[in-house]
């Protein structure tokens, strides 16, 4: 962090803090938020963790989960409580997103709040709204950036097993289990330090990867057998899931996570896309290999963004139109996809 001394001075007295992450948080979003919250509480700050939506049940084991205020479309109370906490906060920490739009119904409250804003993130092209930034795309995970910030403050001894497990979960998942191209020596060094502070790799892996409902596994089988399409001329794989199909498999938040990666596991495929229907929009999940930037694709055409090789976007309209929009773009990218 650039102005770390000023930040340190600010954090030297007990503060009222809100930690917020993005809509439909994944393990890095929630793990970095709860890891940071655990540390801040140990420092004597009053901390409220807010998520703009619910999140997968395979993240509910994270210490601090029970105190999270999760905004819900069905109940206005969490949104009101989240807004109230933000309006009276001294500081708002924004974790694992680069664009306030990703906090959905909370964006205006965050923007309008008088609180000091701190961005901790690793996505491309961040929006400039924060007073303090712990930001770099060189980090595979936001959880790693939280740990590095705690180290910059000289307080890594406060990181206990609960905090370490939350942060390790973010690091493990955002590197795809230490497999993606963002996995560098630094990621292994961070992992080693977190394990040294009590993180349990096998336990966290089990809780996140091998904690499926039977319905989720059946959904995966259905997608692989019947929904996965391949366009060899564009080295592209795609899958489309309607709300009806998701309902048929009793799908819960998080059940579609990871499906898109199967497309990239096919040899010669460079771009994989999952489209699925959400309540009010169509969601795209993009993954690529090598130099093909899905961040650029998502930004230019799908009101989204993310990282070079993992990004997301949205579309307002029907699932068929959302697919058509994507397929119609492929000829333009043909050369890039085959280079
Ligand atoms: P996923 O496909 O797993 O939902 O997301 C892949 C990456 O893209 C994550 O880093 C996520 O934060 C980011 N991402 C997903 N959806 C969006 C979106 O709608 N807008 C932006 N800017 N980023 C997104
Ligand atoms: Mn992340």
């Amino acid at each position: 962090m650039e102005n770390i001394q000023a930040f340190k001075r600010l954090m030297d007295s007990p503060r009222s803090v809100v930690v917020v992450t993005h809509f439909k948080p994944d393990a890095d979003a929630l793990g970095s938020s709860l890891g940071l919250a655990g540390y801040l509480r140990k420092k004597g700050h009053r901390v409220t963790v807010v998520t703009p939506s619910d999140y997968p049940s395979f993240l509910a084991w994270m210490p601090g989960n029970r105190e999270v205020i999760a905004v819900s479309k069905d109940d206005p109370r969490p949104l009101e409580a989240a807004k109230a906490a933000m309006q009276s906060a001294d500081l708002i920490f924004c974790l694992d997103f680069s664009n306030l739009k990703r906090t959905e119904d909370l964006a205006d409250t965050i923007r309008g709040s008088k609180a000091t804003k701190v961005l901790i993130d690793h996505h491309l092209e961040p929006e400039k709204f924060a007073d303090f930034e712990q930001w770099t795309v060189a980090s595979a995970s936001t959880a790693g950036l939280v740990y590095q910030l705690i180290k910059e403050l000289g307080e890594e001894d406060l990181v206990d097993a609960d905090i370490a497990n939350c942060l390790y979960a973010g690091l493990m998942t955002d590197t795809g289990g230490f497999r993606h191209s963002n996995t560098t020596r630094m990621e292994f060094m961070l992992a080693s330090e977190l394990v040294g502070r009590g993180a349990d790799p096998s336990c966290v892996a089990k809780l996140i990867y091998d904690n499926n409902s039977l319905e989720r596994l059946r959904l995966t089988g259905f997608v692989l057998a019947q929904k996965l399409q391949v366009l060899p001329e564009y080295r592209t794989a795609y899958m489309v899931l309607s709300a009806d199909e998701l309902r048929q498999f009793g799908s819960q938040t998080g059940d579609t996570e990871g499906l898109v990666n199967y497309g990239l596991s096919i040899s010669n495929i460079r771009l994989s896309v999952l489209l699925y229907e959400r309540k009010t929009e169509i969601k795209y999940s993009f993954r690529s290999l090598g130099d093909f930037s899905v961040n650029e694709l998502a930004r230019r055409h799908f009101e989204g963004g993310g990282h070079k090789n993992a990004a997301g976007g949205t579309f307002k309209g029907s699932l068929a139109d959302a697919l058509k929009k994507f397929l119609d773009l492929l000829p333009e990218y043909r050369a890039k996809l085959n280079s």
Side-chain angles (χ1 to χ4, degrees), residues 44-273:
H45 302 293
R46 204 155 57 81
V47 187
T48 307
V49 177
V50 172
T51 61
S53 70
D54 63 342
Y55 45 83
S57 58
F58 58 78
L59 301 180
W61 58 269
M62 288 186 179
N65 164 66
R66 265 187 295 193
E67 282 80 49
V68 173
I69 298 181
V71 172
S72 158
K73 295 270 182 232
D74 308 322
D75 178 359
R77 285 170 302 180
L79 180 61
E80 280 159 22
K83 286 184 173 174
M86 286 173 167
Q87 276 150 2
S88 64
D90 301 315
L91 287 112
I92 300 180
F93 284 78
C94 297
L95 266 63
D96 200 42
F97 62 86
S98 57
N99 194 312
L100 278 173
K101 222 175 65 183
R102 297 211 65 216
T103 63
E104 303 259 324
D105 296 343
L106 296 166
D108 291 340
T109 310
I110 299 172
R111 212 186 293 279
S113 153
K114 288 191 288 289
T116 300
K117 281 138 208 143
V118 185
L119 174 75
I120 308 182
D121 179 55
H122 64 141
H123 290 89
L124 287 158
E125 302 168 66
E127 182 181 345
K128 289 281 166 199
F129 66 87
D131 304 286
F132 294 93
E133 286 183 355
Q134 179 83 346
W135 175 87
T136 172
V137 289
S139 178
S141 68
T142 297
L145 290 174
V146 166
Y147 187 71
Q148 277 165 335
L149 178 60
I150 296 173
K151 271 180 82 168
E152 280 177 49
L153 294 166
E155 293 183 319
E156 60 269 38
D157 285 346
L158 287 181
V159 174
D160 58 23
D162 281 353
I163 298 170
N165 275 322
C166 289
L167 298 179
Y168 182 87
L171 179 60
M172 178 189 77
T173 53
D174 264 26
T175 53
F178 303 97
R179 287 172 59 188
H180 296 334
S181 59
N182 60 4
T183 311
T184 67
R185 189 168 165 235
M186 177 56 82
E187 274 51 57
F188 286 109
M189 283 177 11
L190 286 167
S192 164
E193 289 196 35
L194 291 172
V195 172
R197 297 192 179 278
D200 183 336
S202 129
C203 177
V204 173
K206 168 79 188 149
L207 285 166
I208 289 190
Y209 292 130
D210 297 327
N211 201 0
N212 292 311
S213 63
L214 182 59
E215 287 86 353
R216 183 182 182 193
L217 221 53
R218 298 257 192 252
L219 173 71
T220 305
F222 168 70
V223 169
L224 296 183
Q226 298 187 42
K227 304 261 92 186
L228 179 59
Q229 306 288 332
V230 171
L231 301 169
E233 68 276 35
Y234 300 113
R235 299 178 70 180
T236 293
Y238 68 92
M239 24 199 145
V240 181
L241 274 172
S242 69
D244 268 353
E245 287 164 336
L246 288 167
R247 241 191 317 273
Q248 199 184 312
F249 286 91
S251 165
Q252 305 290 316
T253 293
D255 282 2
T256 53
E257 253 186 51
L259 285 176
V260 65
N261 294 314
Y262 284 103
L264 277 193
S265 74
I266 305 167
S267 44
N268 279 324
I269 294 299
R270 288 194 68 183
L271 172 63
S272 177
V273 188

